[in-house]
C-alpha cells in the first residue's frame, strides 16, 4: 500500500505492518483485544470515520499521524534481498538461533579491587560460573568511558574503558577468556546519543556552524530574554521534562530523548554513520563478536522534527514518539551499518581469538572461523510484532534479533503500575507472536533486564518472599524462556531466582530515572513516602543491585562498600547455596540448558501449542526436525493446583520442577519437560 488517506479502510491499515502494530499497541494500551479490529463491520470502516468515532480518545490528528508514519514503511520499501546476507538460508542456521545469551550488568556483577564497583576483572573471575551454566554468548552492558549520568549509557569515548571498570588489556583478557570457554562476547553500542562530554558534542557547541555542529540536533532559539524562547518542539524526555536543553554557550537547543547529558546524534549526517561503522570495526578487530544496539529504532527522526501528536503522547506517555520510534530512514541506516560495520571485508585480518565451538554434549572443540557478520541485537522499545519482523527478518539485512517489550507488562499497564502480572497474558502474547512469524523471523525471549523490575516479583508480588513459590515460578519461567522457539536472553541473577528489593528510602536508589521521577513527584506535592511508593513498582534499581554470590552482607560481590546496596537477603538464594542444592533454580537452569544443547528439537524443532485457550495450563510440543523424538513441555501458570487437559500425548518426564511423574494434576507453577513416547 503506497497511498494511505482518510478514505482508506481500517482493514487496509491493519494489513500494513506498521498500521497493524500501531493499532495493536493502542488497543493493548487501552486494555482491549485486537479481535475487535477483525470484526468485519469495524474492519470496513474508513479511516476518517474511525478518527471521528475515536475522537474522544485519540483526536482526529491521530489518523493523520498514522498515515504519515505508514507511508515510510512496509513491503514497498523491501530491499532487493541478498540471497543469504549472513549465511542464513545455508544448511546450518546461524549460531545465535541455538544460543543462550546472558546479560551482565558489569557494575553489579563482581568487583575485583574492592572499590565497590563491579569491573572487568571481576567478570573474568566469574566466567566459569557462566560457562558452567551453559551460556553461549555474554552481553556486557556499557563499559566505555562515561560520566555515568545514565550508568554508561552516555558514552564519552567509544574506544576507551571506563576507568573504574579497568583497561583495554582487561577487556582483551575477558574476551580471550570467554572465547576459550566456548562463549562469544557482545558489547553495548549506545549510538542514538553520546554523552554531552563526548569530544564531538564539545566541538559542536564550541562552533555550531563548524564540522561537528551537524553531528547532533541543534536548533537556534527564538529572540527573547536569553535568546532561547520555547523549545523547538513538544517532544518529551524519557527521564522527565522536555527533550530539549538550552546550551547558552552555543545559543542552541540540543535534543536529548533521555537525560540532559545524553545528546541525540543526527544520523542523517553521513559522517555520523561512518563514525559508528568505524567504531564497530575497531571493536571487531579486538575480537568482539557483535553488539547489542541501544534504542536503535530511535536513530532516524522525521525531518524537521515536527511536534508530536498530543493524543499519542497522552496515550503512550511521551509526545513525539511517532516521529522516531520507527523513523523514515531506519531500515536503510541499519542496512548500511550492517554492511559497513558488522560485515567482514575480504582479506580482513582475523581477530586475536575466536570462540571455541561446543559440541552437543557440552565439551569444547576447536576455535570457530570468524563470523562473516558480527551479530546485531537490537534494543527496540515500542516496536510491535510486524515492525520486529521488518527489522530482523533474515532476508532483510538489518538486525538479527530484536527485543519486543510488549511481553513485560499486562494489557493497559505501564511499568510504574502496581499490579500483579497475570501469566495467562504471557502465554497469549507468545502464542500470538509465534503464530505470526515465519522461518525467516527470529525472536529474542527475555523477562528480566537492567531496565525492569524482576518478573518473579511482578507475578508474585509480596509472595515472592515464599521460597517455595519463588523457586517453582523461577523454574517455570526458565522452562518457558529456554524451550519456546526463540533465542533466550537471561539477565544476571535470573539463574538464582533474583527478586525485587525492599528499598526503604530514596537514598537506596541510584538511577537517574528513579531520582528524576521522585523529584518530580515531590515537586507536585507528594510526600516522600508517597513518591517512593509510586516509584518502586517500576524502578530500574531493583535489577541493578550486586549479584548475590554468597550469603552474608557483602554477597561475595565486593570487599568494599557496593555502589548500590541490595536489600534482599533471603537464605538459599545465592550462587554458592544453590550450587550445593541439586533441586535449586541454578541447577535447573544448568540441566535445562544442557538438555537444550543435546536435543535439537528444543531449539530447531517445530512448535505446536496444546490447549491454546486455557488460561492456566501452558503446554506445547517441539517436534523433531529429523528422526529424533518430539518433546512435550508443560507449565502451570498459576499458584494453584490445576488439572491437566485430557488427551495429551504419552510422554516420559526428563526434567521437572517437582518430580519425575506426570499425574492428572499439576502443582502451583509446576513445569515438566517430557520426551514424547513413540507409537500411538
Ligand atoms: C536503553 C537502555 C537504558 C538506557 C536508555 C538510554 O533503554 O537499556 O538503560 O537508559 O537506553 O540509553
Ligand atoms: Mg571495582
Amino acid at each position: 500500500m503506497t497511498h494511505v488517506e482518510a478514505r482508506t479502510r481500517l482493514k487496509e491499515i491493519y494489513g500494513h505492518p506498521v498500521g497493524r502494530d500501531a493499532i495493536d499497541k493502542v488497543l493493548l494500551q487501552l486494555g482491549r483485544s485486537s479481535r475487535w479490529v477483525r470484526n468485519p463491520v469495524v474492519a470496513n470502516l474508513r479511516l476518517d470515520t474511525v478518527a471521528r468515532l475515536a475522537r474522544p480518545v485519540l483526536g482526529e490528528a491521530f489518523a493523520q499521524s498514522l498515515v504519515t508514519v505508514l507511508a515510510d514503511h512496509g513491503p514497498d520499501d523491501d530491499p532487493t534481498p541478498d540471497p543469504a546476507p549472513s549465511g542464513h538460508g545455508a544448511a546450518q542456521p546461524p549460531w545465535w538461533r541455538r544460543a543462550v545469551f546472558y546479560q551482565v550488568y558489569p557494575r553489579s556483577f563482581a568487583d575485583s579491587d574492592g572499590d565497590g564497583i563491579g569491573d572487568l576483572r571481576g567478570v573474568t573471575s566469574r566466567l566459569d560460573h557462566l560457562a558452567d551454566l551453559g551460556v553461549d554468548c555474554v552481553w556486557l552492558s556499557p563499559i566505555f568511558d562515561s560520566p555515568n549520568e545514565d550508568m554508561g549509557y552516555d558514552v564519552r569515548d567509544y574506544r576507551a574503558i571506563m576507568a573504574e571498570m579497568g583497561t583495554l588489556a582487561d577487556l582483551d583478557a575477558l574476551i580471550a577468556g570467554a572465547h576459550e570457554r566456548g562463549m562469544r562476547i557482545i558489547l553495548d553500542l549506545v549510538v542514538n546519543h553520546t554523552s554531552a562530554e563526548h569530544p564531538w558534542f564539545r566541538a559542536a557547541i564550541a562552533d555550531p556552524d563548524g564540522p561537528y555542529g551537524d553531528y547532533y540536533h541543534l536548533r537556534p532559539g527564538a529572540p527573547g530574554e536569553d535568546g532561547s524562547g520555547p523549545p523547538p518542539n513538544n517532544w518529551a524526555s524519557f527521564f522527565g521534562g522536555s527533550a530539549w536543553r538550552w546550551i547558552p554557550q552555543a545559543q542552541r537547543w540540543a535534543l536529548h530523548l533521555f537525560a540532559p547529558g545524553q545528546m541525540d546524534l543526527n544520523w542523517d549526517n553521513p559522517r555520523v554513520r561512518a563514525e559508528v561503522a568505524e567504531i564497530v570495526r575497531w571493536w571487531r578487530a579486538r575480537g568482539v563478536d557483535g553488539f547489542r544496539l541501544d534504542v536503535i529504532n530511535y536513530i532516524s527522526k522525521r525531518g524537521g522534527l515536527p511536534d508530536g501528536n498530543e493524543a499519542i503522547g497522552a496515550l503512550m506517555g511521551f509526545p513525539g514518539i511517532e516521529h522516531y520510534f520507527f523513523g523514515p530512514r531506519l531500515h536503510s541506516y541499519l542496512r548500511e551499518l550492517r554492511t559497513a560495520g558488522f560485515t567482514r571485508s575480504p582479506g580482513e585480518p582475523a581477530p586475536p581469538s575466536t570462540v571455541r565451538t561446543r559440541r552437543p554434549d557440552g565439551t569444547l572443540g576447536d576455535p570457530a572461523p570468524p563470523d562473516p557478520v558480527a551479530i546485531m541485537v537490537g534494543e527496540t522499545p515500542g516496536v510491535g510484532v510486524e515492525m520486529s519482523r521488518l527489522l530482523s527478518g533474515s532476508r532483510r539485512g538489518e538486525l538479527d534479533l530484536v527485543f519486543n517489550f510488549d511481553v513485560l507488562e499486562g494489557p493497559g499497564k505501564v511499568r510504574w503500575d502496581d499490579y500483579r502480572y497475570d501469566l495467562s497474558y504471557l502465554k497469549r502474547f507468545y502464542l500470538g507472536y509465534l503464530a505470526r512469524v515465519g522461518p525467516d523471523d527470529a525472536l529474542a525471549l527475555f523477562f528480566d533486564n537492567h531496565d525492569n523490575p524482576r518478573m518473579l516479583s511482578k507475578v508474585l508480588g509480596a509472595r515472592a518472599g515464599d521460597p517455595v513459590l519463588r523457586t517453582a515460578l523461577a523454574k517455570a519461567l526458565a522452562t518457558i524462556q529456554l524451550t519456546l522457539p526463540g533465542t533466550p536472553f537471561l539477565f544476571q541473577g535470573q539463574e538464582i531466582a533474583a527478586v525485587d528489593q525492599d528499598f526503604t528510602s530514596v537514598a537506596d536508589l541510584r538511577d537517574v530515572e528513579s531520582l528524576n521521577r521522585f523529584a518530580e513527584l515531590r515537586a507536585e506535592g507528594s510526600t516522600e513516602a508517597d513518591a517512593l511508593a509510586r516509584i518502586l513498582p517500576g524502578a530500574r534499581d531493583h535489577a541493578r543491585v550486586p549479584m548475590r554470590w554468597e550469603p552474608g552482607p557483602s554477597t561475595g560481590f565486593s570487599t568494599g562498600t557496593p555502589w548500590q546496596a541490595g536489600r534482599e537477603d533471603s537464605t538459599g538464594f545465592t550462587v554458592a547455596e544453590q550450587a550445593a542444592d541439586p533441586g535449586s533454580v541454578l541447577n535447573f537452569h544448568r540441566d535445562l540448558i544442557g538438555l537444550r544443547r543435546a536435543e535439537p528439537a528444543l531449539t530447531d524443532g517445530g512448535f505446536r501449542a496444546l490447549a491454546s485457550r486455557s488460561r492456566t495450563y501452558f503446554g506445547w510440543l517441539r517436534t523433531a526436525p529429523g528422526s529424533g523424538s518430539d518433546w512435550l513441555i508443560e507449565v502451570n501458570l498459576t499458584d494453584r493446583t490445576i488439572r491437566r487437559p485430557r488427551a495429551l500425548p504419552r510422554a516420559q518426564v526428563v526434567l521437572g520442577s517437582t518430580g519425575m511423574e506426570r499425574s492428572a494434576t499439576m502443582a502451583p507453577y509446576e513445569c515438566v519437560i517430557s520426551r514424547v513416547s513413540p507409537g500411538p
Side-chain angles (χ1 to χ4, degrees):
M1 179 171 38
T2 41
H3 191 63
V4 191
E5 45 163 55
R7 303 181 63 82
T8 308
R9 295 189 188 277
L10 194 57
K11 62 182 175 196
E12 292 168 58
I13 305 277
Y14 206 62
H16 183 292
V18 175
R20 177 161 185 180
D21 279 358
I23 292 173
D24 282 350
K25 172 77 78 195
V26 167
L27 291 171
L28 184 67
Q29 218 52 46
L30 296 171
R32 308 250 166 84
S33 155
S34 58
R35 246 172 308 167
W36 178 83
V37 193
R38 291 193 286 266
N39 171 313
V41 177
V42 177
N44 278 308
L45 290 178
R46 289 188 346 215
L47 194 53
D48 53 356
T49 315
V50 178
R52 222 170 32 245
L53 292 176
R55 189 158 40 200
V57 192
L58 295 175
E60 269 172 297
F62 175 73
Q64 198 42 57
S65 302
L66 201 55
V67 167
T68 318
V69 174
L70 257 58
D72 300 332
H73 297 271
D76 289 347
D77 85 326
D78 231 5
T80 317
D82 179 329
S86 46
H88 310 172
Q92 279 289 317
W95 65 269
W96 45 263
R97 286 243 179 205
R98 292 174 177 164
V100 173
F101 285 68
Y102 184 104
Q103 180 190 357
V104 168
Y105 195 69
R107 213 173 185 76
S108 303
F109 197 62
D111 172 24
S112 70
D113 60 0
D115 67 351
I117 298 175
D119 44 48
L120 296 179
R121 288 177 181 225
V123 179
T124 304
S125 75
R126 296 292 185 175
L127 285 175
D128 284 333
H129 167 71
L130 303 180
D132 288 349
L133 185 59
V135 168
D136 300 291
C137 184
V138 181
W139 151 29
L140 296 185
S141 270
I143 54 169
F144 299 162
D145 175 48
S146 162
N148 285 311
E149 187 168 340
D150 186 20
M151 293 307 155
Y153 285 96
D154 46 334
V155 177
R156 184 165 47 200
D157 182 347
Y158 288 98
R159 292 176 180 80
I161 305 294
M162 201 185 289
E164 59 271 44
M165 294 237 175
T167 62
L168 278 172
D170 292 335
L171 185 66
D172 292 341
L174 201 173
I175 296 171
H179 285 165
E180 188 54 34
R181 289 169 177 80
M183 298 183 288
R184 284 181 173 81
I185 184 147
I186 65 173
L187 304 181
D188 221 310
L189 187 65
V190 186
V191 286
N192 172 69
H193 42 265
T194 71
S195 163
E197 295 184 17
H198 193 286
W200 300 337
F201 191 72
R202 289 175 183 271
I205 60 173
D207 179 10
D209 300 315
Y212 287 94
D214 205 26
Y215 268 48
Y216 296 88
H217 296 282
L218 301 181
R219 294 287 179 277
E225 246 174 78
D226 63 351
S228 70
N233 67 26
N234 68 351
W235 296 8
S237 152
F238 290 102
F239 295 158
S242 165
W244 292 93
R245 162 178 167 197
W246 178 246
I247 315 276
Q249 170 200 359
Q251 289 291 295
R252 293 288 190 283
W253 287 97
L255 178 70
H256 62 92
L257 293 180
F258 294 90
Q262 292 171 293
M263 317 320 301
D264 280 63
L265 282 165
N266 174 18
W267 276 69
D268 294 334
N269 179 348
R271 293 184 53 204
V272 167
R273 305 202 298 274
E275 300 260 22
V276 173
E278 186 51 43
I279 292 167
V280 172
R281 284 199 297 270
W282 195 85
W283 283 106
R284 282 204 299 101
R286 285 198 104 89
V288 163
D289 297 292
F291 283 94
R292 173 264 195 189
L293 297 99
D294 189 66
V295 291
I296 199 66
N297 56 317
Y298 295 5
I299 55 176
S300 165
K301 278 105 180 158
R302 185 166 305 286
L305 312 182
D307 273 337
N309 174 280
E310 295 289 347
I312 297 177
L315 187 71
M316 306 301 296
F318 301 97
I321 58 168
E322 72 274 25
H323 297 307
Y324 60 79
F325 260 29
F326 18 74
R329 285 162 301 277
L330 177 58
H331 302 301
S332 71
Y333 292 164
L334 290 174
R335 283 176 211 140
E336 180 187 296
L337 180 59
R338 186 176 189 86
T339 311
F342 284 78
T343 304
R344 272 179 71 76
S345 21
E348 191 178 306
S353 66
T354 57
V355 69
R356 274 182 187 279
T357 49
R358 279 228 219 184
R359 305 189 188 94
D361 68 359
T363 57
L364 292 169
D366 290 336
D371 296 325
V373 185
I375 186 170
M376 298 174 79
V377 180
E379 191 223 11
T380 49
V383 299
V385 174
E386 297 307 321
M387 192 60 179
S388 297
R389 299 181 60 203
L390 289 178
L391 291 170
S392 62
S394 62
R395 307 178 61 81
R396 292 187 45 93
E398 298 178 26
L399 300 166
D400 294 305
L401 285 165
V402 294
F403 295 111
N404 182 311
F405 289 90
D406 286 342
V407 70
L408 292 186
E409 308 297 340
K413 300 296 184 194
V414 296
R415 174 152 55 92
W416 304 102
D417 291 332
D418 196 1
Y419 71 104
R420 295 268 300 271
Y421 182 99
D422 177 354
L423 286 173
S424 70
Y425 167 71
L426 185 142
K427 169 177 174 178
R428 206 155 29 96
F429 174 84
Y430 280 123
L431 290 189
Y433 200 145
L434 289 168
R436 286 160 68 181
V437 299
D440 283 346
D441 298 308
L443 69 159
L445 301 161
F446 73 105
F447 301 137
D448 284 7
N449 63 23
H450 66 295
D451 289 333
N452 282 276
R454 296 286 184 173
M455 186 56 107
L456 284 178
S457 295
K458 285 190 211 175
V459 175
L460 291 175
R463 297 176 77 197
D466 173 344
V468 175
L469 276 184
R470 175 176 175 184
T471 299
L473 178 57
K475 292 178 182 177
L477 290 175
T479 300
I480 296 171
Q481 204 181 351
L482 291 161
T483 69
L484 276 183
T487 302
F489 282 72
L490 298 171
F491 177 59
Q492 68 183 48
Q494 260 183 287
E495 75 275 36
I496 51 168
V499 294
D500 285 353
Q501 311 295 311
D502 292 320
F503 293 126
T504 54
S505 141
V506 68
D508 288 342
L509 308 181
R510 298 284 176 277
D511 180 21
V512 58
E513 184 191 45
S514 309
L515 299 176
N516 285 0
R517 221 174 157 87
F518 183 83
E520 271 177 18
L521 289 165
R522 291 285 283 140
E524 288 163 14
S526 294
T527 64
E528 272 201 29
D530 253 19
L532 188 66
R534 286 176 59 188
I535 284 167
L536 289 188
R540 307 194 295 182
D541 307 74
H542 290 293
R544 299 181 176 189
V545 302
M547 179 77 178
R548 297 189 67 207
W549 297 102
E550 298 161 12
S554 82
T555 72
F557 162 72
S558 173
T559 54
T561 310
W563 70 281
Q564 169 159 40
R567 290 200 160 261
E568 203 273 319
D569 60 356
S570 52
T571 305
F573 291 91
T574 62
V575 173
E577 290 162 293
Q578 298 223 346
D581 169 7
S584 69
V585 172
L586 176 60
N587 280 311
F588 186 83
H589 276 86
R590 272 188 198 146
D591 293 347
L592 185 48
I593 294 173
L595 185 64
R596 193 180 191 277
R597 191 188 304 286
E599 297 291 338
L602 292 175
T603 46
D604 313 352
F607 171 82
R608 204 170 89 225
L610 303 166
S612 52
R613 302 175 74 92
S614 170
R615 294 177 54 86
T616 58
Y617 171 90
F618 192 8
W620 64 93
L621 291 172
R622 295 302 308 268
T623 52
S627 58
S629 43
D630 294 350
W631 291 79
L632 168 64
I633 295 110
E634 304 174 277
V635 176
N636 176 353
L637 297 175
T638 74
D639 57 6
R640 304 178 305 276
T641 300
I642 60 162
R643 291 192 84 55
R644 278 195 159 81
R646 272 188 271 266
L648 294 172
R650 288 194 328 130
Q652 196 62 47
V653 178
V654 171
L655 191 60
S657 53
T658 53
M660 301 299 276
E661 292 296 325
R662 289 175 68 238
S663 69
T665 60
M666 292 183 83
Y669 298 122
E670 183 179 345
C671 56
V672 193
I673 297 127
S674 316
R675 192 189 295 272
V676 175
S677 313

